Amino acid sequence: MNYIFFCDSPTLETGFARVSKNVIPRLNLGEKHVWALGYQGEAHNYDFNLYQANVNSNWADDFNRTAFRRLMDSLQGPKTIWTLHDPFRLSAFKDELILEKNRGSRIVSYVPVDSPLAEEDKKFLELCDLIVVYNKYGAKEIKRILPNKKTIIIPHGFDPDFKKRESRRQEIFPNTEDKKLIGVVNSNTERKALHRSLEILKELIKIKDEYIMYLHTPLNGFYDLVKLIKQLKLENRVIVGNEFFEGARIGKSHCDKNSLVDIYNCFDLFLSTSFGEGWGLTVSEAACCEVPICIPKHTAFEDLYIEESALWMDATRTTYSQGKIVPDIDPVNAATLINNYFKEKPELASAKDCAEQYSWESISSLWQEILTS
């Protein structure tokens, strides 16, 4: 049996790559082949082949789809194709996957559902023999648009290297000891709603002049953060981690895991204002470092964390993002919630326990069973 894994390269540091690098090497299978998005020929020690999936920036263009078809043609015998990416993007490979289905190949898809699924997502999902989602929110969305499709839940795993350690705040963020440091670690994409995080900071400062924010994200992406910070008059209140991203190609960072753990352990509070999450990787990392978390009450977050383990920002309104109506929070209400937390300091249940219950070993064993059944 040939097993083809269509996913972010395990050599990267993206959220999807966190799955591929922790699951694929643990699988005891026959011939493993990784159609590796973002791979650029780097040396590696994996005992399987990595194929360069995007010779240019658009991995779904004609050239790369033809290369994928050639790979499928070259592999003799039965195939199982395992995908991990957004359904609407995988639909670009519909013709190639239909051809493989007609040859008897099996398609198993690990689907990250971070917002309401649309009709266009069905183009790919209808081809799948089995759909696997991270949580109950994802399963509910699949059932809504494909009520008869077989769907199971396998959670994302946690990395045991993310844990509480002695803070190096004086070294990493000097002269901030008298401030409340709010940490935001996310990609600079539309869905992460970084403008909401900055709006919350602005409202917090109106309440009490003791808050600052660290943004661990590239300065340029969906948001021009230099411009946005200036427009909100937050130049002296926001610390940016652009040195970790400047000059790094997509999927890479100059910030190693050990440094990121140190950064998490400096925060007084971790904040995510994302419009939706399939899992919420950086929130789980902060939780494992025992940092209090403040998160929206929607999508994956409600499945992963218990009521008492977080500061919950109610999604009291909606907005339009990436072609969909999505839940949204009110920055004024969120700032009041956070300020009250620091004023009253209620004891939160351990979000760490919620995040740490999912080990990569146990998750990989579930995948081993599915792929060999």
Side-chain angles (χ1 to χ4, degrees), residues 95-135:
D95 291 343
E96 288 73 24
L97 294 172
I98 288 175
L99 178 61
E100 285 305 312
K101 287 281 288 185
N102 292 337
R103 290 171 172 173
S105 295
R106 180 188 184 209
I107 300 175
V108 178
S109 186
Y110 205 4
V111 181
V113 182
D114 52 43
S115 60
L117 292 172
E119 282 296 308
E120 64 180 315
D121 296 314
K122 292 170 67 172
K123 296 177 184 178
F124 167 74
L125 294 173
E126 287 174 331
L127 299 175
C128 299
D129 297 284
L130 175 65
I131 296 173
V132 182
V133 292
Y134 290 147
N135 48 50

Side-chain angles (χ1 to χ4, degrees), residues 180 182 199-201 203-205 207-208 210-211 268-273 292-297 307-316 329-346 348:
K180 297 290 190 297
I182 311 295
E199 288 170 346
I200 290 171
L201 174 63
E203 295 300 326
L204 278 167
I205 294 168
I207 299 172
K208 194 166 186 180
E210 64 174 6
Y211 294 98
D268 294 303
L269 183 77
F270 183 91
L271 174 67
S272 174
T273 51
I293 57 175
C294 183
I295 50 181
K297 199 165 191 177
E307 184 71 26
E308 300 81 13
S309 68
L311 298 182
W312 291 99
M313 297 179 286
D314 289 326
T316 57
I329 59 172
D330 184 310
V332 175
N333 292 344
T336 301
L337 174 73
I338 293 170
N339 187 68
N340 286 343
Y341 166 75
F342 282 112
K343 183 168 65 175
E344 300 167 7
K345 275 295 183 132
L348 297 175

Side-chain angles (χ1 to χ4, degrees), residues 187-195 218-225 275 321-322:
S187 59
N188 188 340
T189 56
E190 182 176 1
R191 180 168 56 86
K192 301 302 183 179
L194 297 177
H195 65 298
L219 286 179
N220 295 303
F222 179 81
Y223 297 94
D224 180 340
L225 288 175
F275 290 139
S321 173
Q322 296 180 299

Side-chain angles (χ1 to χ4, degrees), residues 7-73:
C7 55
D8 279 15
S9 173
T11 59
L12 300 182
E13 294 299 334
T14 62
F16 289 157
R18 190 66 62 85
V19 178
S20 61
K21 73 174 59 187
N22 280 290
V23 171
I24 300 173
R26 288 183 166 93
L27 298 176
N28 182 20
L29 300 171
E31 293 292 325
K32 292 191 285 188
H33 308 270
V34 178
W35 187 248
L37 303 172
Y39 179 59
Q40 294 191 355
E42 304 95 327
H44 63 85
N45 295 318
Y46 294 116
D47 63 350
F48 44 81
N49 293 321
L50 299 183
Y51 301 87
Q52 193 171 345
N54 44 325
V55 174
N56 46 41
S57 60
N58 182 6
W59 55 264
D61 68 10
D62 290 342
F63 181 89
N64 293 310
R65 293 201 311 274
T66 299
F68 177 72
R69 181 175 293 182
R70 286 175 182 153
L71 173 62
M72 296 299 98
D73 291 343

Side-chain angles (χ1 to χ4, degrees), residues 248-372:
R249 67 181 181 82
I250 293 173
K252 289 290 188 180
S253 167
H254 303 307
C255 184
D256 60 25
K257 186 195 298 183
N258 187 60
S259 298
L260 186 54
V261 175
D262 280 337
I263 288 170
Y264 280 125
N265 276 278
C266 294
F267 298 155
D268 294 303
L269 183 77
F270 183 91
L271 174 67
S272 174
T273 51
S274 173
F275 290 139
E277 289 292 343
W279 183 256
L281 178 61
T282 59
V283 175
S284 68
E285 290 172 347
C288 288
C289 293
E290 301 183 41
V291 181
I293 57 175
C294 183
I295 50 181
K297 199 165 191 177
H298 59 53
T299 57
F301 295 133
E302 287 190 280
D303 287 345
L304 183 55
Y305 301 100
I306 61 174
E307 184 71 26
E308 300 81 13
S309 68
L311 298 182
W312 291 99
M313 297 179 286
D314 289 326
T316 57
R317 58 191 190 181
T318 59
T319 191
Y320 186 76
S321 173
Q322 296 180 299
K324 300 177 182 180
I325 301 296
V326 293
D328 193 14
I329 59 172
D330 184 310
V332 175
N333 292 344
T336 301
L337 174 73
I338 293 170
N339 187 68
N340 286 343
Y341 166 75
F342 282 112
K343 183 168 65 175
E344 300 167 7
K345 275 295 183 132
E347 185 173 346
L348 297 175
S350 177
K352 171 176 177 284
D353 292 342
C354 300
E356 283 190 346
Q357 60 185 303
Y358 308 109
S359 74
W360 285 117
E361 287 77 10
S362 62
I363 287 165
S364 298
S365 67
L366 293 173
W367 277 114
Q368 178 76 29
E369 183 178 345
I370 287 171
L371 293 174
T372 55

